[in-house]
Amino acid sequence: MSEAIQYERAGDIAVLAANNPPVNALGQAVRQGLVDGIARAEKEGAKAVLIYGEGATYFAGADIKEFGKTPQEPWLPDVCARLEASPLIVVSSIHGTALGGGLEVALGSHYRIATPKARMGLPEVLIGVMPGAGGTQRLPRLIGVEKSIEVITSGRQIGAKEALELGIIDRIAEGTPREIGLAYAQELIDQDAKPRPVSEMPNPDGVDFDAAYDAVLKKSRGQLSPATAVRGVQAAAELPFDQGMKRERELFFELMNTDQRQGLIHAFFSERAVGKLPELKGVEPRDVGDIGVIGGGTMGAGIATAALLNGLTVTMLEMSQEAAEAAKGRIAGNLQGALKRGKINQDQFTHLTEAALTLATDYGALSNVDLVIEAVFEDMEVKKQVFTKLDAVCKPGAVLATNTSYLNVNEIAAITKRPQDVIGLHFFSPAHVMKLLEIVVADKTAPDVVATGFALGKTLKKVSVRAGVCDGFIGNRILATYRTAADHMILDGASPYQIDDALEAFGFAMGPYAVSDLAGLDIGWAVRKRKRAEGMDPRARDTNYADRLCEAGHFGQKTGKGYYIYEKGSRTRTPNPDVPELIAAERAEKDITPRAFTDDEIVRRYMAAMVNEAAKVVGEGIARRPLDVDMTLLFGYGFPRYHGGPLKWADLQGLPDLLGDIKRYAEEDDYFWQPAPLLEQLVAEGRTFEDLNKKG
Ligand code: T1G
């Protein structure tokens, strides 16, 4: 018997306890242990078998680390079938999260009991596959086709109460999974209960599966797995069980062999790896309980909201009582959202806005906070004034953070007597919603201050990425480049609307011009003016047609007009007819004869610019690893998760072809298209960005 499944007898009940931390993933040893365990129970003449998980959870699914490797027997569908075919009463007792293959093992059992806090689901579509061990065949027999389609294509977790109501489980009981499992198994024995194979239940009624498939595909923005899973559920309605299992397996392996599965698995593991930096091993973060936020505008109020929602107390410092009250209003407005969604109740809302939040207009109020985040106007002089005051009033050891999105954190740190306590914490708007947090480490930032940044990010449930100091850090620096590539395509003949459509077909929720309308065209306008004032390289291709829009007061959604026109109060967009004229005028002014672009070329150029700049960011050490860039683009810039991130996408495309594209584009513009040294090195050495991730 493998130690991954521990076998013991409790009277007439054989107990199979999973012991494969941290999540009892169904690796080969666990699968073998279940098969050996059921055989031994039958041989010994037990009357029932109890299966449960030691530690944090029942089985949390197949072992994703085995994906892409040669599958080893016993295969999970066969394990589930073996349990189900047993003449003994097979009981699963669920706690923690029974997910994917874990729930499928439970569905292969005859009876299912759960603790009140147990959660379960079939999240396989979220990692690019679909249930592959009978989930699409057994679940519909238990809860029907429509509910199964919703559960499987959403991949959501279901609480024990809902699972009981749906009929996924038979019982909820307080106690350890072992206690409640043994009691339930004994009760079943006493009742002379019989095995109850789900596979012998009748086919569930069907629905219009083509309509269901189309609806799911439309919602998935190009991701294949949810819609493919619908076809698996269809087999449950239309085929005998064994044929349905074969159909499920076919569809499962179709998805297993897709780039999207590789992208989504990369995202899954990278999201967990990105916060693990070798240099932070063993470095203790400083305690943070009370924080100060300076500046209660959109960003500051969002940061304060995130902190309040995650158990921190906040002192909001503004220039005047009136401004502080306005900031409180913004915070209360944000918290109303959480109240409406049921994330907090009325008492918690009152506590957060009245007790956990303090308003102040004097820096002295910050003398005892553990960490301060300034979110004042993006101007170096203003930031320096703020940090000079913080340096004077904050207690020794307080962490002084700036939320700047591009200013030089070294320069800010240098104004203080404690540069080791200064760090950048770059939140993304809205700060209480967006998961990305760039932790910008200046030259003198102390390691335990970096660790404190990551600990704060964890408290705020952010995906934190370490960034070095440069203009735009990781995300905004790369954004500036791929956005410029799009602008160049417009000057050369593409339309902003074709570009938006092409990139939305690639998987972005919004194309770059729709995003600009959402963020406000005045932001890009300010950046263009700043770069012109700083002096641009004469080889850089500047563009001014959008300046004309801004000069006319058209800033996008907030003014109702930008690249698109927005009917009052609605988000639906129609192209602004003025824009093509402005573009044509600029092309004429620059003597450019426009040419046609295919959607493929648009995507290829846009992504080549993104990958090339990302390779520079990694090569210069601004980002620690390629996966750090991937997570930045996924969690801060709406990059399609099923591509895994720009550098995972690049690996999947093949770096030599991408470098070839860049060199070809450089023949037209060798200033913008300078191949990244790291990309050239990897191609020369026949290596991938993934090889660098493994180095860590
Ligand atoms: N396989 C391998 N490792 C896993 C794993 C899994 N299924 N789930 C988690 N880990 C690792 C994770 O990488 C991390 O490792 C550690 O466990 C703690 O995870 C046939 C084919 C269970 C809700 O998709 O949703 O079954 O970083 O940090 O926040 O139909 O992990 O410590 O080295 O996330 O408490 C379906 C995925 C698989 C569940 C726990 N199952 N996991 O969250 O901890 S496909 C899933 C989760 C399948 C069958 C198909 C979460 C969690 P490290 P963690 P957590």
Side-chain angles (χ1 to χ4, degrees), residues 41 187 196 272 315 337 356 359 376 451 500 531 546 630 652 671 683:
E187 187 188 318
R196 195 181 58 171
R272 289 156 175 82
T315 299
L359 303 181
V376 299
D500 277 354
K531 294 214 183 241
D630 286 341
L652 292 168
Y671 172 70
V683 169

Side-chain angles (χ1 to χ4, degrees), residues 294-578:
I294 306 179
T298 306
M299 282 310 292
I303 295 167
T305 305
L308 290 167
L309 281 171
N310 288 289
L312 301 177
T313 57
V314 176
T315 299
M316 167 58 75
L317 181 74
E318 256 292 357
M319 312 267 275
S320 68
Q321 191 55 30
E322 188 192 357
E325 291 295 343
K328 179 175 178 178
R330 286 186 202 95
I331 294 166
N334 293 340
L335 291 172
Q336 279 293 346
L339 184 62
K340 265 198 216 104
R341 281 193 305 281
K343 269 178 73 171
I344 56 173
N345 60 34
Q346 188 56 52
D347 289 348
Q348 287 165 319
F349 176 88
T350 306
H351 168 73
L352 294 179
T353 49
E354 302 307 326
L357 174 65
T358 306
L359 303 181
T361 55
D362 176 84
Y363 272 80
L366 301 178
S367 58
N368 264 327
V369 297
D370 306 311
L371 179 145
V372 182
I373 304 172
E374 64 76 19
V376 299
F377 185 60
E378 277 291 77
D379 173 273
M380 184 54 89
E381 287 322 304
V382 174
K383 303 263 190 210
K384 285 183 174 176
Q385 286 164 17
V386 167
F387 274 79
T388 303
K389 290 178 189 161
L390 291 176
D391 199 15
V393 302
C394 289
K395 68 184 180 185
V399 173
L400 311 182
T402 170
N403 173 56
T404 183
S405 59
Y406 71 92
L407 292 173
N408 187 319
V409 183
N410 285 317
E411 204 178 320
I412 293 173
I415 200 81
T416 72
K417 297 185 202 60
R418 43 175 139 177
Q420 73 281 2
D421 295 340
V422 176
I423 193 166
L425 294 179
H426 179 215
F427 289 83
F428 287 73
S429 186
H432 60 296
V433 174
M434 291 297 282
K435 281 182 74 76
L436 180 64
L437 172 62
E438 280 183 320
I439 296 183
V440 185
V441 179
D443 297 347
K444 295 201 173 105
T445 304
D448 68 332
V449 172
V450 181
T452 306
F454 275 89
L456 177 68
K458 201 170 177 71
T459 302
L460 302 182
K461 302 189 185 66
K462 299 292 183 185
V463 174
S464 303
V465 181
R466 184 200 187 286
V469 176
C470 73
D471 188 340
F473 313 134
I474 298 174
N476 282 347
R477 169 171 162 181
I478 295 169
L479 165 66
T481 303
Y482 64 79
R483 181 55 208 276
T484 300
D487 286 339
H488 288 176
M489 285 191 268
I490 286 184
L491 289 179
D492 293 336
S495 89
Y497 314 109
Q498 182 191 8
I499 290 175
D500 277 354
D501 291 347
L503 288 158
E504 285 165 17
F506 176 74
F508 281 91
M510 290 173 94
Y513 296 98
V515 168
S516 297
D517 268 1
L518 177 67
L521 300 186
D522 42 333
I523 295 175
W525 191 25
V527 170
R528 288 193 299 278
K529 287 191 278 190
R530 170 167 69 88
K531 294 214 183 241
R532 288 170 191 145
E534 286 167 354
M536 287 173 73
D537 187 300
R539 295 168 296 172
R541 296 182 71 189
D542 193 8
T543 163
N544 60 41
Y545 71 89
D547 298 359
R548 305 289 88 75
L549 270 178
C550 297
E551 285 153 7
H554 302 313
F555 295 145
Q557 286 196 24
K558 61 184 170 186
T559 61
K561 198 172 187 181
Y563 282 95
Y564 298 90
I565 294 173
Y566 302 87
E567 296 311 319
K568 215 144 188 53
S570 102
R571 284 247 165 128
T572 47
R573 67 194 200 202
T574 47
N576 174 356
D578 303 342

Side-chain angles (χ1 to χ4, degrees), residues 22-23 25 60-65 67 76 97 99-101 104 123-124 127 130-133 157 252 268-269 272 276:
V23 296
D63 186 338
I64 310 178
K65 294 188 177 83
F67 281 20
L76 195 55
T97 48
L99 297 171
E104 289 172 305
E124 289 89 338
I127 53 173
M130 60 182 269
Q157 289 187 11
F252 175 81
F268 175 86
F269 285 118
R272 289 156 175 82
K276 293 179 182 135

Side-chain angles (χ1 to χ4, degrees), residues 38 42 46-48 82-90 110 193-195:
I38 194 80
E42 288 164 359
K47 290 186 178 164
R82 177 66 183 83
L83 297 174
E84 187 178 64
S86 175
L88 310 183
I89 302 167
V90 181
H110 302 135
K194 298 292 173 238

